[in-house]
Amino acid sequence: MTAATTPLLLVDGHHLLYSAWFGFPTRITSRNGADLTGVFGTLALLRKAQREHAPDHEVLVAFDGEHGSAARVETDPDYKANRADANHSPIASLPWVKTALDAIGVRWIEHDTAEGDDTIATLTTRALAEARPVRIMSGDRDLLQLCTDPSVSLLNRGAPPERRVQTGPDVHARFGVHPEQWPCFRALTGDPADNIPGVRGVGAVTAARLLSGGLTLDRLLASERLVGAVGARIAAHAEHLRRWCDLIRLDHRVDLPDDLTTGHPTPHLAPAAAILDQLALWDTTTLKTPPPGKDRIADL
């Protein structure tokens, strides 16, 4: 394997942090009572994923920018509006997570005006242009739309073993649509996580049947498939559907540094406990005053 073809593991940083915070089997605390579950769990899950699914990959973590959703919210004020009252406790651990990644030599990127998914989409496009296989680690199904190339797969460690790694053919076998149809499919069925309602009465089976043969949303709206009450509702929601589809479709053109990746495999990661010991976190009293963070756009 050459540096130019080293596989790339792109990690959805916020999803990993939230999974660690809410899904770790026990709370991890410092000797002084500070909750270290976010940083410990993130490092432990990342190490396990590397060992089991990407031992020869270069690892890069992408985080949501503070204003990453702004452009989509401007298009549709309801986008992710349901998250305003959600529990965002894991965010307090984010600066320490970034510091820990720096300490272990894992690169990360947070573009202020881009969602992490768009950063991952952009890096996937770049990697494919360099003939680098890509594995994406996330439980966000919207990233399935990136599995259009055989060398791209989605790793969801929270899924059952038989569905833990998904490729393009797996997407079609499970949902009845191709990865490139995912935004159209999801617009029709809705996405509660992003507050996209979809069309009442249109579930996954109906959406897949309507989009069969590789139809896009626009082609569906112009076709003769829209019959009966469901067809009438879809036609009545045409403009909403086009907007929802655009919200779900990922941006592959985020302005990122040219030298963000190294092209070399990431060394095997140390146990989370050892990293926290290196950072003297076992004796900390709070995670609210971490060391200064870095702007990875400016720093790279």
Side-chain angles (χ1 to χ4, degrees), residues 28-31 36 39-41 43-44 96 99-101 103-104 270-284 287:
I28 306 297
T29 60
S30 71
R31 298 180 181 91
L36 304 176
V39 60
F40 183 97
L43 294 170
W96 276 112
T99 298
L101 293 176
I104 61 178
I275 299 169
L276 266 59
D277 188 54
Q278 176 185 341
L279 296 173
L281 284 180
W282 290 119
D283 295 312
T284 191
L287 289 181

Side-chain angles (χ1 to χ4, degrees), residues 158-212:
E162 67 274 13
R163 295 206 307 265
R164 196 152 290 169
V165 177
Q166 299 276 288
T167 62
D170 296 321
V171 175
H172 188 268
R174 183 178 180 193
F175 298 102
V177 294
H178 300 288
E180 57 268 26
Q181 293 177 287
W182 187 261
C184 307
F185 174 79
R186 202 64 159 160
L188 286 165
T189 63
D191 184 355
D194 289 344
N195 207 34
I196 295 174
V199 178
R200 181 171 56 88
V202 179
V205 173
T206 298
R209 175 176 55 80
L210 290 170
L211 295 171
S212 64

Side-chain angles (χ1 to χ4, degrees), residues 199 221 226 230-239 241:
V199 178
L221 293 170
L226 300 184
V230 170
R233 283 197 295 272
I234 291 174
H237 283 80
E239 292 308 312
L241 284 164

Side-chain angles (χ1 to χ4, degrees), residues 36-173:
L36 304 176
T37 309
V39 60
F40 183 97
T42 295
L43 294 170
L45 293 175
L46 184 59
R47 179 174 185 255
K48 187 173 179 65
Q50 184 198 41
R51 293 174 63 190
E52 295 181 354
H53 298 281
D56 58 348
H57 289 48
E58 178 180 1
V59 181
L60 190 145
V61 181
F63 294 104
D64 294 329
E66 183 176 355
H67 305 289
S69 299
R72 287 183 171 92
V73 171
E74 186 175 348
T75 299
D76 187 340
D78 291 331
Y79 179 70
K80 292 188 177 180
N82 55 333
R83 300 189 186 186
D85 298 325
N87 183 349
H88 296 295
S89 300
I91 295 300
S93 301
L94 187 56
W96 276 112
V97 169
K98 295 173 180 175
T99 298
L101 293 176
D102 285 337
I104 61 178
V106 172
R107 290 193 168 200
W108 56 269
I109 180 72
E110 180 181 308
H111 192 296
D112 183 60
T113 59
E115 295 191 45
D117 289 1
D118 296 315
T119 297
I120 288 173
T122 300
L123 290 169
T124 298
T125 298
R126 286 188 182 183
L128 293 178
E130 299 170 355
R132 297 184 66 180
V134 177
R135 178 153 287 176
I136 301 165
M137 181 178 174
S138 178
D140 187 342
R141 289 183 179 178
D142 283 346
L143 288 162
L144 288 171
Q145 65 188 274
L146 300 179
C147 295
T148 55
D149 188 282
S151 62
V152 179
S153 60
L154 182 67
L155 166 64
N156 178 5
R157 296 204 72 264
E162 67 274 13
R163 295 206 307 265
R164 196 152 290 169
V165 177
Q166 299 276 288
T167 62
D170 296 321
V171 175
H172 188 268

